Amino acid sequence: MNILVINCGSSSLKYQLIDMSKEEVLAKGLVERIGIEGSILTQKVEGKDKYVIEQKMNDHKDAIKLVLDALVDKDNGVLKSMDEISAVGHRVVHGGEKYSSSVLIDDEVMKYLDECIKLAPLHNPPNLIGIEACKDLMPNTPMAVVFDTAFHQTMPDKAFLYALPYELYKEHNIRKYGFHGTSHKYVSAKVAEVMGKDLSELKIVTCHLGNGSSLTAIKNGKSIDTSMGFTPLEGVAMGTRTGDLDPAVVTFIMDELGYTVEQTNELLNKKSGVLGISGVSSDFRDIEIAAENGNARAQLALDIFQYRVRKYIGSYAAAMGGIDVVVFTAGVGENDPVTRLKACEGLEFIGIEIDPVKNNVRGKITEVSKDGSKVKVFVIPTDEEMMIAKDTLELVRK
């Protein structure tokens, strides 16, 4: 059964076609600059040259039609016809409180997703546009939606509620939702599999570290707390996001500097984090080079990021009443040995010890903890597309 996984951004679209009988990626691609001059599709198929189409795409429907054409292209594709696509799995950032798992798409689901736009005004609209485009082009193909927030719906109210008047939660849905759920779900299941353990018996802290970063406490296979909140702004410092912040700072900036709501949002989401501290870049690789060359602010940005990751690991060990495994994943987590080492530095007292030699690894499944370490530390490359495909397959089979 071939599952097409679609992940729509505001002007981009990532996709993978996965043969679920072998869990093998047949093709994957990226469409960029949708609705902007210079639209381009790049598709990669194992054993074939990269396939590039530069063609005007006015909207996501144009983009998805081009994706389907590329997949069935006689010379560069992998399918004879679109009929070989059994189902489509769509990533949607926000599913609110209603959905604690992935669901097949119907009119009721679409209506609810539209209501969720106010909770994720930047992310959900392009996700929905992608779904509508696929429905128009593939009306008879079953489709599922996989939410970034769903995995975290197992959090207890003591973890997801803010200490605001309770009516704000009941009437306006203001609470912690958490994000990157598909990634946290995938790597926690994968590390249990690699260890030969039952996921339901493990206490795991998963560290999804990239330009956007979040950590999750997973006890007995369920998310009981996570660092991102009502939006992806809460938590550790990130590429351009502040992370945890005294709310009074926001009103102070608006009052003192005369910032509008829009200017303040841009400051907190796009001009802060390690970019704001370092003044160099939001890319950790650039910051590390600057730090190695003696840039004190760049080093400070790294110190702040690593320190906050370490604090969350420690606090989640406390929340779970112990810890068995720490997992590092995503761009920084998978590829930055120094960040992994520094993030675990000082946590020896709870049994976390990294082996510097084992830790010299990038982008592959590896245990990096010392042989005698009470708590195991792993690098597990994330595969959100595979997780989406698995959920979609399960729903279609039901």
Side-chain angles (χ1 to χ4, degrees), residues 99-116:
Y99 296 113
S100 58
S101 61
S102 305
V103 291
L104 285 174
I105 294 169
D106 59 19
D107 290 342
E108 182 184 344
V109 171
M110 291 301 290
K111 182 181 177 184
Y112 182 73
L113 292 180
D114 191 60
E115 293 171 5
C116 284

Side-chain angles (χ1 to χ4, degrees), residues 296-344:
R297 280 178 55 185
Q299 185 59 57
L300 178 60
L302 296 173
D303 292 344
I304 289 172
F305 177 72
Q306 294 154 3
Y307 173 68
R308 293 191 181 184
V309 171
R310 183 161 66 248
K311 279 207 303 183
Y312 266 100
I313 293 172
S315 68
Y316 285 165
M320 293 188 292
I323 182 170
D324 300 309
V325 194
V326 176
V327 177
F328 288 97
T329 193
V332 176
E334 294 170 25
N335 298 295
D336 191 342
V338 174
T339 288
R340 293 193 296 262
L341 190 65
K342 293 291 185 181
C344 292

Side-chain angles (χ1 to χ4, degrees), residues 73-365:
D73 184 85
K74 183 178 178 182
D75 299 317
N76 301 285
V78 290
L79 301 174
K80 292 178 181 177
S81 77
M82 281 168 47
D83 293 338
E84 294 180 60
I85 299 174
S86 305
V88 182
H90 294 271
R91 174 182 179 250
V92 171
V93 168
H94 216 304
E97 282 196 313
K98 185 172 182 177
Y99 296 113
S100 58
S101 61
S102 305
V103 291
L104 285 174
I105 294 169
D106 59 19
D107 290 342
E108 182 184 344
V109 171
M110 291 301 290
K111 182 181 177 184
Y112 182 73
L113 292 180
D114 191 60
E115 293 171 5
C116 284
I117 285 176
K118 65 182 180 182
L119 297 175
L122 297 178
H123 296 89
N124 269 31
N127 297 161
L128 286 173
I129 289 168
I131 294 172
E132 292 286 8
C134 278
K135 285 173 67 180
D136 286 346
L137 293 165
M138 310 167 71
N140 299 316
T141 304
M143 299 190 189
V145 59
V146 180
F147 304 100
D148 268 10
T149 52
F151 182 60
H152 301 301
Q153 286 300 301
T154 51
M155 286 190 293
D157 52 7
K158 64 184 179 184
F160 72 68
L161 278 175
Y162 295 115
L164 292 165
Y166 193 69
E167 293 75 19
L168 289 174
Y169 163 58
K170 296 304 291 182
E171 296 172 17
H172 300 282
N173 305 115
I174 297 174
R175 52 157 287 180
K176 173 182 283 197
Y177 290 98
F179 300 88
H180 294 144
T182 309
S183 176
H184 291 294
K185 182 180 179 181
Y186 176 83
V187 298
S188 59
K190 178 59 74 173
V191 78
E193 177 189 319
V194 170
M195 294 174 69
K197 300 279 189 179
D198 192 322
L199 180 60
S200 66
E201 298 173 354
L202 293 173
K203 297 171 182 176
I204 307 171
V205 175
T206 49
C207 308
H208 179 109
L209 308 181
N211 194 270
S213 297
S214 65
L215 286 81
T216 297
I218 300 171
K219 185 176 183 179
N220 310 132
K222 295 182 178 180
S223 169
I224 65 157
D225 206 347
T226 192
S227 59
M228 284 181 168
F230 180 66
T231 74
L233 187 60
E234 187 179 353
V236 298
M238 301 172 229
T240 62
R241 299 176 194 147
T242 61
D244 294 336
L245 185 73
D246 181 344
V249 172
V250 178
T251 53
F252 181 86
I253 287 171
M254 295 178 74
D255 188 47
E256 189 77 4
L257 303 180
Y259 275 26
T260 63
V261 171
E262 291 75 17
Q263 287 173 316
T264 307
N265 255 325
E266 185 176 12
L267 176 72
L268 301 178
N269 281 284
K270 297 182 179 180
K271 295 182 178 180
S272 300
V274 295
L275 168 64
I277 295 293
S278 70
V280 172
S281 174
S282 62
D283 191 308
F284 283 82
R285 293 167 294 188
D286 297 337
I287 297 171
E288 286 176 352
I289 291 169
E292 287 169 6
N293 290 328
N295 186 316
R297 280 178 55 185
Q299 185 59 57
L300 178 60
L302 296 173
D303 292 344
I304 289 172
F305 177 72
Q306 294 154 3
Y307 173 68
R308 293 191 181 184
V309 171
R310 183 161 66 248
K311 279 207 303 183
Y312 266 100
I313 293 172
S315 68
Y316 285 165
M320 293 188 292
I323 182 170
D324 300 309
V325 194
V326 176
V327 177
F328 288 97
T329 193
V332 176
E334 294 170 25
N335 298 295
D336 191 342
V338 174
T339 288
R340 293 193 296 262
L341 190 65
K342 293 291 185 181
C344 292
E345 202 171 69
L347 295 177
E348 294 83 3
F349 76 102
I350 56 173
I352 299 174
E353 297 180 88
I354 283 188
D355 184 316
V357 176
K358 289 183 183 178
N359 188 45
N360 189 25
V361 65
R362 297 174 187 272
K364 63 180 182 179
I365 296 175

